[in-house]
Amino acid sequence: AQSVTQLDSQVPVFEEAPVELRCNYSSSVSVYLFWYVQYPNQGLQLLLKYLSGSTLVKGINGFEAEFNKSQTSFHLRKPSVHISDTAEYFCAVKGGGNKLTFGTGTQLKVEL
Amino acid sequence: NAGVTQTPKFQVLKTGQSMTLQCAQDMNHEYMSWYRQDPGMGLRLIHYSVGAGITDQGEVPNGYNVSRSTTEDFPLRLLSAAPSQTSVYFCASSNPERGGYGYTFGSGTRLTVV
């Protein structure tokens, strides 16, 4: 069975500061990991994904994530956030049948 | 391409009523799923389908039915609505056989059961 833990429910940060959103996973099958972003009153949009290969994955809007197998983590980072990055971020792991298991989400609030 | 289209966007139901949430995709994706999103609980899988005529239960299937008669459509039926089904519902599709891991999501249906 697969599971995802997002350790922080809310992360406040000032504009232009760096941010890290934490995600830990467990999986009994090959590890495919995803980060999604949800802006208010919208659906989920894929930020980036790790399927194999390089452990540093770059996504849209300047975000990147690092897959760490020994620590079973897939933390999301951005070196300098913008007010428009305010949104909820979800980490997910793929299971059998291409089913996704999501974490409970991290609300990123960027302040001026 | 329209992507994944969900209708309606908003719905209010009375307890005991039934309704169907519509989901259609025009990307020829084989895999489709329904999720519900509740505050503090992330997204939970209700039902999913790996192709026309094939469906299976997810994590929270009770009170919901699905069918997949075509590749494009994957409707979700609420048989007898209950206040516990008040939620935001998302439909999603993907095509992993073509390397399309990761789902494309619709914009959601916000359902309130009173």
Side-chain angles (χ1 to χ4, degrees):
Chain A
Q2 289 68 238
S3 68
V4 173
T5 302
Q6 292 185 245
L7 298 167
D8 306 300
S9 59
Q10 295 186 33
V11 174
V13 63
F14 288 109
E15 192 171 24
E16 298 184 4
V19 70
E20 178 180 84
L21 306 183
R22 298 181 292 170
C23 172
N24 288 89
Y25 70 90
S26 67
S27 177
S28 58
V29 297
S30 298
V31 180
Y32 292 1
L33 295 158
F34 306 85
W35 275 100
Y36 284 85
V37 59
Q38 184 181 34
Y39 299 103
N41 299 315
Q42 295 187 25
L44 278 73
Q45 179 182 1
L46 182 65
L47 266 180
L48 49 81
K49 58 187 175 185
Y50 171 80
L51 305 182
S52 65
S54 173
T55 57
L56 184 63
V57 180
K58 294 189 181 298
I60 61 172
N61 300 340
F63 283 93
E64 63 182 30
E66 186 161 16
F67 171 63
N68 188 319
K69 187 174 182 179
S70 63
Q71 297 187 3
T72 61
S73 67
F74 190 54
H75 300 334
L76 181 70
R77 302 185 182 101
K78 187 170 183 178
S80 177
V81 296
H82 189 266
I83 196 79
S84 60
D85 292 322
T86 294
E88 189 154 24
Y89 292 79
F90 292 94
C91 183
V93 63
K94 170 189 163 325
N98 204 40
K99 291 182 285 185
L100 290 184
T101 298
F102 285 86
T104 53
T106 297
Q107 180 66 45
L108 176 63
K109 184 174 182 181
V110 181
E111 302 169 353
L112 295 172
Chain B
N1 286 350
V4 179
T5 303
Q6 291 184 238
T7 56
K9 292 189 182 301
F10 301 94
Q11 183 71 48
V12 179
L13 286 179
K14 294 182 179 180
T15 297
Q17 286 184 318
S18 63
M19 79 160 294
T20 299
L21 279 62
Q22 301 292 343
C23 175
Q25 52 92 8
D26 61 358
M27 299 171 285
N28 201 30
H29 285 175
E30 291 296 321
Y31 285 62
M32 296 186 74
S33 298
W34 276 103
Y35 289 86
R36 60 177 288 172
Q37 182 180 22
D38 302 291
M41 303 189 73
L43 282 83
R44 293 180 292 168
L45 182 64
I46 305 171
H47 285 285
Y48 71 101
S49 169
V50 300
I54 306 170
T55 64
D56 204 349
Q57 296 181 351
E59 180 184 356
V60 288
N62 292 341
Y64 307 94
N65 274 356
V66 292
S67 60
R68 184 95 180 271
S69 57
T70 67
T71 299
E72 294 78 20
D73 300 300
F74 191 42
L76 178 72
R77 298 182 186 85
L78 280 69
L79 309 173
S80 178
S84 61
Q85 294 179 304
T86 292
S87 186
V88 182
Y89 292 84
F90 289 100
C91 180
S93 71
S94 74
N95 201 341
E97 282 76 12
R98 298 182 187 177
Y101 296 101
Y103 278 85
T104 299
F105 281 80
S107 57
T109 294
R110 187 174 296 273
L111 176 68
T112 301
V113 182
V114 298

